Amino acid sequence: MKNNNKKLIINLSKKINKHNYRYYILNKPIISNYEYDKILNKLIKLEKKYNFIYKNSPIKKFNKNLLNKKFKVTKHYFKMYSINNVYSKENLIIWKKKMDKKIGKKNNYICELKYDGIAMSLIYKYGKLKSAITRGDGKYGNEVINNILFINNIKKYIKKIKNIKIFNIKGEIVFSKINFSIINKINKKKFSNPRNAANGTIHSKYYNKNIKYLDFIPYSIYTNDNNINLKINNQFKSIKLIENLYLKYQKKAYKLCKSSKQIINYISYWEKNISIYPIDGIVIKINDFNIQKKLKSNNIFYKWCIAYKFKDKELITKVKKVKFNVGKSGIIVPVVYFKPIIINGTIIKKASLYNSNIYNNYNLSINDKIIIKKSGNIIPKIIKNINFNKNKNKYINFPLYCPSCNKLLKKKNNILICKNDKKCKKQIIEKIKHFISAMKIKINNNIINQLFDNNKLNNITDLYYLTKNDFLLINVKSKVYIRILNEIKNSKKNNLNNFLFALCIPSIGKYICKKIEKKYKNLYNLLKNIKKNNIKFLGKNIEKNIKKYFNSFIIKQFIKLGFKI
């Protein structure tokens, strides 16, 4: 196998691992499901074609980084695989034809709603709820039973299964659309969408008042009881048993189908109608359990089912204003604010256009009608300016000078950058905010801005010289500044990966920081290896950036401050 192909497989594996971490742990995905699936399917094909698997392949290896370290890690009794996706009805029909060839045309399929929530596995032992495990990587998950006990429709005891040793109910933890609206009214912090809200609530370390607004929607059962397994030999019977034991499903939440036409009609119904809960597609399963067992699964997906994902919704709105934000690295990002719209239960009022070429392609003016799409139910995107070229004299042009310090911007790969990083107010403030957030110190942005304006916080090391009087100067309450000063003090004992990430070193993201921590453990070992020129495993560009930063005066200041990282 050529080195180029090997390199491509390794790079794709690393890319997927990064996206998995953002999705499962940070709960901040930056690509749509469609884009993610394209990368994943490409990796699967390449691994198969060249018979090469990277040691940290997301397809083959359990990744502990996909689990929340605040919670106990538990092995699933019955593995929770993922479901492969299709994004067109044509591809769905192709999949069904393949299945019909393998199992025969007379077999039934069952269509079910695909809920956009958090997958959960409930374990009952002799009728009592003993465990609640998140999906994790499918083999291991987080034990969150202490949180889910507060969900009203989760039963703590089911009398009808009191004689069964292990009874596993798998399902989805979700906020109904009504309850999502309620929690966004009663909480100071507004959630961007129901899935993020459900994930954050389930992974709360302490009791979270939002938990009582969650629902559990079961979709399958597994048991070690042979009598039940003989009786419940297909998914339709399984759902009927769940309804009998647990709760009634919403109307038309599932349907038994035989032909492609029946499946397409069911999908079309839910593309036009509104569900009580957030849904992002339809799952199509082979109904017969014996056939399911014969088809088995690969390391990621069940082979006996597929998920049809709904197309991204597009809506028309009006441009209100455009802001050109200066980021911590000096990159100018145009953010278009428009009249708020609701897509899939989420209020959207702005979209970023990332670089000058993309921005200039739209020729935007105030009150222009634009088409917005929420790509993969995640990222708002501007698709089209309907009024393109109608207001030639009123275009909002990309600035030539930095909106913060007024220095001439430099262009690199269609990105406009302010290189005045030592004096640009916005860059300095953004670096300070990033450092504070990465070091797990909770300070309101308004307090940071006021400390900066009063010349008390001009760089990240100034943080460690703040006193009670500095906070009194800007009228911060004693309860607040005592907590902040304690958190600042405790941050000196933070871990290496948080500290490195906080420093904003170019090309050094969270993933690289974790690799460095894994190899060197602490700051002392890292400094020792930098001096010995022993960090080549990271690549030339990253090595160069780390050396440059660690030879600067700022690192000496951190050491002088007594950091024990």
Side-chain angles (χ1 to χ4, degrees), residues 267-283:
I267 289 168
S268 299
Y269 173 85
W270 281 110
E271 282 178 327
K272 292 169 190 170
N273 288 276
I274 296 167
S275 166
I276 301 164
Y277 297 98
I279 59 171
D280 59 359
I282 304 295
V283 179

Side-chain angles (χ1 to χ4, degrees), residues 181-410:
S181 176
I182 290 168
I183 66 158
N184 261 352
K185 281 176 186 173
I186 62 174
N187 283 279
K188 286 180 184 177
K189 181 189 172 184
K190 306 296 176 196
F191 293 100
S192 59
N193 60 62
R195 190 195 175 279
N196 282 11
N199 191 55
T201 304
I202 282 301
H203 286 101
S204 296
K205 201 172 180 183
Y206 305 104
Y207 173 74
N208 187 317
K209 62 185 176 183
N210 296 328
I211 284 177
K212 62 183 180 182
Y213 292 100
L214 282 166
D215 285 327
F216 175 68
I217 301 172
Y219 51 68
S220 64
I221 54 171
Y222 295 83
T223 177
N224 63 351
D225 187 291
N226 289 328
N227 291 326
I228 288 181
N229 290 335
L230 287 169
K231 276 185 193 176
I232 312 300
N233 57 6
N234 63 51
Q235 178 62 9
F236 188 79
K237 287 179 183 176
S238 176
I239 287 174
K240 289 298 177 188
L241 177 62
I242 290 168
E243 281 192 300
N244 187 28
L245 294 175
Y246 231 88
L247 80 167
K248 297 289 177 190
Y249 284 72
Q250 66 171 305
K251 197 177 177 184
K252 297 193 178 181
Y254 60 91
K255 184 177 174 65
L256 204 58
C257 300
K258 194 177 284 283
S259 67
S260 295
K261 188 180 177 181
Q262 287 175 322
I263 293 169
I264 299 301
N265 286 344
Y266 183 77
I267 289 168
S268 299
Y269 173 85
W270 281 110
E271 282 178 327
K272 292 169 190 170
N273 288 276
I274 296 167
S275 166
I276 301 164
Y277 297 98
I279 59 171
D280 59 359
I282 304 295
V283 179
I284 300 98
K285 302 174 181 176
I286 290 169
N287 190 41
D288 192 294
F289 285 163
N290 288 323
I291 295 172
Q292 285 184 16
K293 282 173 190 173
K294 283 176 188 174
L295 291 170
K296 297 180 182 176
S297 308
N298 58 29
N299 281 316
I300 300 181
F301 303 121
Y302 295 109
K303 289 182 179 177
W304 43 265
C305 67
I306 200 89
Y308 172 83
K309 298 296 286 284
F310 293 144
K311 286 191 176 93
D312 300 320
K313 287 188 179 178
E314 296 179 2
L315 291 177
I316 297 170
T317 184
K318 273 187 179 182
V319 174
K320 288 173 75 177
K321 63 180 177 181
V322 178
K323 275 188 178 181
F324 295 92
N325 291 344
V326 186
K328 61 184 184 292
S329 55
I331 294 169
I332 312 299
V333 178
V335 181
V336 181
Y337 290 80
F338 41 79
K339 193 177 174 184
I341 52 174
I342 298 172
I343 299 181
N344 298 335
T346 307
I347 298 167
I348 304 164
K349 49 190 173 186
K350 63 180 180 178
S352 298
L353 286 172
Y354 302 105
N355 68 47
S356 57
N357 273 19
I358 293 172
Y359 177 78
N360 292 332
N361 284 340
Y362 289 101
N363 286 358
L364 292 170
S365 307
I366 303 299
N367 290 325
D368 275 359
K369 285 184 179 178
I370 53 174
I371 298 173
I372 300 292
K373 176 173 88 168
K374 198 173 180 203
S375 180
N377 207 23
I378 297 167
I379 306 157
K381 286 185 179 178
I382 297 172
I383 302 304
K384 187 181 178 184
N385 181 1
I386 296 169
N387 298 126
F388 188 83
N389 279 342
K390 283 189 179 178
N391 302 303
K392 283 185 180 179
N393 300 322
K394 296 179 182 178
Y395 291 156
I396 307 163
N397 294 316
F398 206 102
L400 297 172
Y401 297 89
C402 175
S404 174
C405 67
N406 211 30
K407 287 286 179 184
L408 186 68
L409 299 172
K410 304 287 181 185

Side-chain angles (χ1 to χ4, degrees), residues 400-492:
L400 297 172
Y401 297 89
C402 175
S404 174
C405 67
N406 211 30
K407 287 286 179 184
L408 186 68
L409 299 172
K410 304 287 181 185
K411 196 167 189 176
K412 186 182 177 182
N413 300 328
N414 299 322
I415 292 169
L416 282 156
I417 305 168
C418 172
K419 294 285 188 178
N420 189 28
D421 59 316
K422 299 288 187 291
K423 293 180 182 178
C424 179
K425 176 184 173 180
K426 190 66 179 169
Q427 278 188 72
I428 295 164
I429 289 175
E430 289 304 312
K431 279 185 171 77
I432 292 168
K433 286 177 181 176
H434 173 78
F435 182 88
I436 286 166
S437 172
M439 293 296 275
K440 312 294 181 189
I441 304 164
K442 291 175 187 172
I443 309 180
N444 185 290
N445 282 344
N446 187 40
I447 293 173
I448 297 168
N449 291 333
Q450 285 185 74
L451 287 167
F452 183 90
D453 291 338
N454 282 277
N455 210 29
K456 299 295 179 186
L457 189 56
N458 296 313
N459 58 59
I460 54 178
T461 53
D462 280 353
L463 192 68
Y464 295 91
Y465 294 99
L466 289 173
T467 65
K468 166 188 168 180
N469 291 334
D470 295 327
F471 288 101
L472 289 174
L473 181 71
I474 57 171
N475 299 317
V476 178
K477 290 177 183 177
S478 61
K479 188 181 176 182
V480 176
Y481 73 66
I482 288 166
R483 174 188 59 77
I484 292 170
L485 288 169
N486 279 331
E487 286 181 1
I488 290 169
K489 186 182 174 183
N490 291 335
S491 73
K492 291 181 183 182

